[in-house]
Amino acid sequence: MNLKLWITPFRGLGVGLLMIAGLPTIGFAQTDYFQQEVHYNIQAALNEKKHSVTGNLSVAYINHSPDTLSFIWFHLWPNAYKNKNTALAKQLVVLKENEKQANPLKKDPHEDVHESGYIDGLKFEVDKQVAATASDSENIDIIKVLLPQPLLPGKQVTITTPFNVKLPDYYSRSGYSGQQYFVCQWYPKPAVYDNKGWHPIPYLDQGEFYSEYGSFKVDITVPAEYVIGATGSLQTKDELNKYKQIGIENNKGAKVVSYKTTTPGKLKTLQYTGDHILDFAWFAAKDFVVRYDTLQLTPNDTIDVFSYGQPNGNKTWKNSTSYIKDAVRHYSNWIGQYPYPVVQAVEGPKNQSSGGMEYPMITLITSPNAKEEEMDGVITHEVGHNWFMGILGTNERQYAWMDEGINTYYQFRYEAEKYRSNSVLSSFIPKDIKELPVDEFQGRIYEVLNSIPTKQAINTPSAAFTNNEDYGIVEYVKTAVFMYTLEAALGRDTLDKAMQTYFKDWQFKHPSPEDFRKEMETAAGKDLDTIFSLLNKEGKLF
C-alpha cells in the first residue's frame, strides 16, 4: 500500500554520511520451518443491482505441519464493514481522532457515513461432512471451522461453503463506486498456521495481511458489458484477445476505443487461474479503458502488461503500461525475475487518494492528482509489492517493514535513477541537488530522510500505530533509511547479490526477520548485530 506523506519542507539537503556507532545488539532465534498449502476453486457472480457477490468456495487444505489439527481458522473479512464494533471500525475512529488533533483543518477521508458490508450464507463442509463453527469472541470477521476428524500431518481436506458478500460503498480497500466494483479481501480464507501457531487476524485499514500460498481457479460471472481485471491469467480466450486488441489501440494514444459487447443484457463467465499466489482480487467496470503491451524479460520469457483506466481519469495514466514495464524491468534486474505471466494496474475512483493497494499480479492505483513522476513512483511501489508481499510472503501485520519499507527503498532507488526525484521530498529538492550523480543524490536524500522525527521502532507491529503519519514515516521511510544503511555497510553489489539470494531461497515462502538477517550476514561474511539492532531503535536512526 502506498501512503502519501505530508512532510514539512526542507530548505536544503546537507552533505554527510550515515554513521553507525554505540548501538545495542539483538539476537534472533531460529525455529524449524514448515508451510501449509491451499488450492482454491471459486465460482462468483456479481449482482450489480444489489452490489453483491454470490459465490461457492472449495479449498483443498494440505497440512505440511508436524501437528495434528482439529480446526482451521478462517478470515471473513467482508464482515469488517458490518458495524461500528469491528476492529476496522474501531481503528478508523482512533485514526480519525488522532488525525483531527494533529491536523485540525485537514479533511478526514473517512468522515462520511458509509454503507455497510458483510458476508453471510456460509455453510461449511469438510470432505462433504457438515462442519460446526465457533465464532471468535472479539471479531466477527474471524471464524473457527471445526474439523469432523483430526487432520494428520501430511494429509489434506477439502473445505467447501457457499457465501454471499454485500459490498460496502468503496472505502478502505473494497466495495463499489457507482457501477464500478473493487472486490478485495472478499472470500472465506484460511488463516496462516506456521511455526509460531495460528494467525487469525481481523481486517484493519492500517495494517495488512498474512496469507497462505497455493493455486486459484476462479470463475467470475458478470453482465456482458463489464471489463474485468483480476489476479491470474484470463483463460477465456475470446475475452483475452478482445482486451488485447482494444488495449493495443488505446496504447497508440489516438482516440480511446471502448469495450463493447455483442450480447448486451446477457451474462458472461470469465475464468482466471494462477499458481504460487496468496490472494485473489478483481475489479469490474463497464467503462474501464483497457491498455495492453508486452514485456520481454529474457529471450524466452515475455509477459502480458495490462492497465485499466478511468474514462475521465488522470491524464498521466496514458503512460501506465510504460510505467508498469519499467518497474518490472528494474525490480527483476535488482532482485529476481518476475515469475508470473501477467502484470496489471487498475486506476481507481477519484474519491480515494491513498496512493494504491497491491494484490498479486494486479494493483489498484488511486492517485487522481499525481503528476507524471508521482504516478510513475506510485505504480512502481505497488507493482514492486509483487516481490515484497506477493513473492516473498512476509507477515505484513507483524513486520510491515519487510514489505512496505524494503519496497520503499527500491522505489526511492528507482526514482533517484530515473528522475533524480523522491516521492517524500517531492518539490523540495533544490536544482543543484538534482544535478548530482545518482549515488551522491541518494546520499543527500537519505540524510534528510533520516532527520524526519520518528518515535516508534521499525519493528513495531502495524496495529500499534495510532496515526497514519507515524506508521508511514516509520515503516516506509525509516525502514528505507535502514536499508540504505545496510547498503552502505555491505556495498551495493554485495547487497544486490544478497537480495537476489534471499529472493531465490524464499520465493513463495514466508520469510521472517531472522531469515532476512541470515541471508544478509551470509553475503557479508560477518555478523551484522549493530545494523540489525536499528530495527528496535526508537527515534531517529542516527
Side-chain angles (χ1 to χ4, degrees):
M1 190 173 186
N2 186 284
L3 297 182
K4 188 170 184 179
L5 304 176
W6 299 99
I7 307 298
T8 303
F10 292 90
R11 299 194 176 275
L13 302 179
V15 183
L17 296 174
L18 300 179
M19 304 299 292
I20 307 170
L23 297 175
T25 61
I26 55 174
F28 293 111
Q30 295 292 331
T31 56
D32 293 334
Y33 181 85
F34 66 82
Q35 183 174 318
Q36 306 293 67
E37 184 178 347
V38 289
H39 298 283
Y40 293 91
N41 191 329
I42 304 173
Q43 294 80 44
L46 174 68
N47 186 321
E48 62 176 340
K49 294 182 179 179
K50 295 182 178 180
H51 303 304
S52 65
V53 176
T54 56
N56 284 285
L57 167 78
S58 175
V59 55
Y61 185 96
I62 304 174
N63 181 16
H64 292 302
S65 81
D67 307 318
T68 297
L69 304 180
S70 60
F71 60 84
I72 296 174
W73 282 105
F74 270 75
H75 300 298
L76 304 177
W77 279 329
N79 274 344
Y81 298 88
K82 191 170 186 177
N83 58 46
K84 296 181 180 180
N85 298 317
T86 66
L88 169 65
K90 292 176 181 178
Q91 185 191 60
L92 289 177
V93 169
V94 172
L95 295 177
K96 176 180 177 180
E97 290 303 315
N98 289 338
E99 177 68 13
K100 277 186 175 181
Q101 292 178 16
N103 301 285
L105 300 180
K106 185 177 178 181
K107 177 177 171 60
D108 173 31
H110 303 297
E111 68 183 1
D112 298 328
V113 176
H114 291 286
E115 181 181 333
S116 63
Y118 54 82
I119 185 170
D120 63 9
L122 301 165
K123 185 180 179 181
F124 285 98
E125 293 186 358
V126 178
D127 291 337
K128 298 184 179 180
Q129 297 183 60
V130 175
T133 60
S135 301
D136 181 72
S137 59
E138 295 183 4
N139 300 293
I140 61 173
D141 54 349
I142 303 170
I143 195 170
K144 183 185 290 185
V145 176
L146 306 177
L147 302 177
Q149 286 84 36
L151 180 59
L152 300 175
K155 300 299 182 179
Q156 78 173 61
V157 291
T158 298
I159 303 169
T160 61
T161 185
F163 63 95
N164 175 70
V165 175
K166 172 63 179 71
L167 296 168
D169 60 308
Y170 179 65
Y171 74 101
S172 190
R173 298 180 181 89
S174 189
Y176 71 92
S177 178
Q179 293 301 132
Q180 295 191 344
Y181 297 89
F182 309 89
V183 189
C184 310
Q185 311 299 343
W186 57 286
Y187 55 92
K189 180 193 299 185
V192 172
Y193 183 71
D194 62 17
N195 53 20
K196 296 180 182 177
W198 284 104
H199 297 269
I201 53 178
Y203 178 93
L204 294 176
D205 185 74
Q206 180 181 281
E208 294 179 9
F209 310 107
Y210 190 30
S211 303
E212 296 286 14
Y213 280 100
S215 66
F216 283 80
K217 183 173 78 171
V218 182
D219 295 300
I220 303 172
T221 300
V222 295
E225 295 87 345
Y226 279 84
V227 172
I228 295 179
T231 295
S233 298
L234 176 56
Q235 300 300 308
T236 312
K237 297 303 181 184
D238 290 346
E239 189 85 357
L240 177 62
N241 290 335
K242 194 170 185 178
Y243 289 2
K244 287 182 177 181
Q245 291 167 5
I246 294 172
I248 290 171
E249 291 301 313
N250 285 333
N251 242 1
K252 291 179 179 178
K255 185 178 179 180
V256 170
V257 179
S258 300
Y259 179 89
K260 295 180 181 178
T261 180
T262 59
T263 58
K266 303 293 185 180
L267 297 176
K268 65 182 177 184
T269 299
L270 307 185
Q271 184 177 95
Y272 293 84
T273 62
D275 295 317
H276 304 296
I277 51 179
L278 42 62
D279 199 5
F280 188 98
W282 57 282
F283 308 89
K286 296 178 181 179
D287 53 359
F288 275 155
V289 178
V290 182
R291 288 180 171 83
Y292 170 71
D293 203 345
T294 60
L295 172 60
Q296 187 170 351
L297 289 173
T298 73
N300 300 316
D301 295 294
T302 300
I303 64 174
D304 288 329
V305 181
F306 285 99
S307 75
Y308 308 87
Q310 297 287 334
N312 298 303
N314 192 314
K315 292 181 179 180
T316 65
W317 195 259
K318 67 182 185 296
N319 303 318
S320 52
T321 57
S322 175
Y323 296 153
I324 295 168
K325 288 171 61 175
D326 216 7
V328 172
R329 192 181 294 114
H330 276 80
Y331 275 65
S332 291
N333 289 335
W334 286 333
I335 306 156
Q337 185 174 315
Y338 185 79
Y340 300 122
V342 62
V343 59
Q344 306 160 94
V346 178
E347 184 182 20
K350 287 186 177 181
N351 66 342
Q352 295 288 318
S353 57
S354 62
M357 183 60 207
E358 67 279 357
Y359 302 94
M361 291 186 245
I362 195 164
T363 183
L364 178 66
I365 306 295
T366 51
S367 296
N369 301 314
K371 296 181 172 63
E372 289 194 16
E373 289 184 15
E374 296 171 321
M375 182 64 80
D376 193 357
V378 170
I379 288 177
T380 294
H381 181 96
E382 302 308 330
V383 169
H385 275 303
N386 280 285
W387 281 261
F388 301 104
M389 179 282 293
I391 303 166
L392 297 163
T394 53
N395 183 342
E396 302 173 88
R397 185 68 59 87
Q398 185 68 26
Y399 307 112
W401 66 271
M402 292 188 72
D403 72 300
E404 296 294 0
I406 297 177
N407 188 32
T408 299
Y409 161 80
Y410 283 103
Q411 175 194 350
F412 289 172
R413 188 165 161 179
Y414 177 92
E415 292 171 333
E417 179 182 300
K418 191 170 181 179
Y419 297 109
R420 297 299 189 275
S421 180
N422 180 273
S423 57
V424 172
L425 301 180
S426 187
S427 59
F428 307 131
I429 304 175
K431 181 181 178 181
D432 60 321
I433 301 299
K434 294 177 75 73
E435 293 173 350
L436 292 171
V438 64
D439 56 341
E440 293 183 35
F441 172 83
Q442 280 204 284
R444 303 291 185 89
I445 290 296
Y446 273 106
E447 184 179 2
V448 175
L449 294 176
N450 178 62
S451 71
I452 297 173
T454 61
K455 299 176 183 177
Q456 295 92 336
I458 291 171
N459 250 334
T460 304
S462 299
F465 290 91
T466 58
N467 65 75
N468 286 316
E469 186 168 329
D470 284 350
Y471 173 68
I473 291 172
V474 172
E475 300 298 356
Y476 292 64
V477 179
K478 189 174 178 179
T479 304
V481 176
F482 164 79
M483 286 297 298
Y484 183 71
T485 305
L486 187 61
E487 175 194 318
L490 272 62
R492 176 167 286 188
D493 289 344
T494 300
L495 177 64
D496 285 349
K497 290 177 182 177
M499 291 300 295
Q500 289 159 11
T501 302
Y502 174 55
F503 175 85
K504 180 180 178 181
D505 291 345
W506 287 97
Q507 61 180 317
F508 313 130
K509 297 179 182 178
H510 299 305
S512 67
E514 298 94 325
D515 302 314
F516 177 73
R517 174 177 172 172
K518 184 177 180 181
E519 297 280 7
M520 298 302 108
E521 290 185 331
T522 299
K526 60 182 178 181
D527 185 278
L528 297 175
D529 269 353
T530 303
I531 292 176
F532 276 86
S533 68
L534 295 173
L535 294 174
N536 289 336
K537 186 176 186 297
E538 296 181 349
K540 294 191 299 182
L541 290 187
F542 306 99

